[in-house]
Amino acid sequence: MKLHVLSALLLGLWDVGSTLTQHVRNRQTRLDDANCLDAVMSTVSKACANSPVVFSTVVFNIGNNYDPLLGVYTVPYAGVYQFSFQVFPKFVGEMLADLVKNGGVILRLRVYDERWHTSEASTMLQHAVPGDKYWVQVSRAGQYWGTVNTFFTGTLISADD
């Protein structure tokens, strides 16, 4: 009888240990799935109108899902992402800056000043699925202040289960 109780107790501990091990593995998988980018324009760079802005200086690209040659971030996991961008043109006048998802504008900024260089920035949350593509584009070609002045960031906030 004591042997059965001891066996049951050991099996129960084994189940708890297995469940805990699986929980730790799931948590580690989530950490391994971390995905984010931070890319900036280098010094002063030229951007073409109505095409992805190339942020060629990559501060970090965890997951390697940002293509610094094309300026496009490709979503690897379904979930909620936070995207931020700022543009600072080296010219005066009106200019639009868009956050684009799969070819459609999802957020638009209007940068306008007749006399001074000015910048605009925005952040938004988006639910995305694997393969979705995000980029920043501007309506007016020209030079843009780089480094901390013109940037694009994206972070996986919460992966879908």
Side-chain angles (χ1 to χ4, degrees):
M1 184 70 167
K2 289 182 183 178
L3 185 59
H4 290 293
V5 171
L6 184 57
S7 295
L9 181 59
L10 288 174
L11 284 173
L13 288 174
W14 177 262
D15 287 343
V16 168
S18 295
T19 302
L20 182 58
T21 300
Q22 188 59 45
H23 177 71
V24 169
R25 282 188 185 134
N26 289 345
R27 201 56 143 155
Q28 183 60 45
T29 299
R30 286 291 169 106
L31 291 174
D32 292 342
D33 291 344
N35 199 276
C36 55
L37 78 101
D38 183 10
V40 299
M41 281 187 151
S42 54
T43 53
V44 174
S45 300
K46 184 172 169 66
C48 297
N50 303 314
S51 62
V53 174
V54 176
F55 297 90
S56 57
T57 302
V58 178
V59 179
F60 54 84
N61 188 7
I62 298 170
N64 269 343
N65 294 296
Y66 175 71
D67 184 335
L69 298 176
L70 299 177
V72 176
Y73 175 78
T74 303
V75 170
Y77 309 109
V80 176
Y81 288 77
Q82 177 178 298
F83 293 98
S84 299
F85 71 101
Q86 176 173 298
V87 292
F88 193 173
K90 193 179 175 188
F91 52 82
V92 294
E94 184 174 26
M95 187 269 306
L96 302 174
D98 300 326
L99 178 61
V100 179
K101 176 183 181 182
N102 299 328
V105 174
I106 57 172
L107 178 66
R108 174 165 281 167
L109 300 176
R110 179 176 182 249
V111 182
Y112 180 75
D113 197 304
E114 292 271 338
R115 299 182 316 169
W116 306 102
H117 300 259
T118 187
S119 67
E120 293 292 335
S122 192
T123 298
M124 83 177 309
L125 296 175
Q126 274 279 295
H127 185 270
V129 297
D132 280 347
K133 297 190 182 306
Y134 288 84
W135 64 87
V136 174
Q137 69 184 28
V138 292
S139 64
R140 185 172 164 190
Q143 291 193 328
Y144 291 79
W145 296 103
T147 61
V148 298
N149 298 300
T150 301
F151 61 82
F152 177 39
T153 68
T155 305
L156 173 62
I157 300 295
S158 177
D160 290 351
D161 290 330

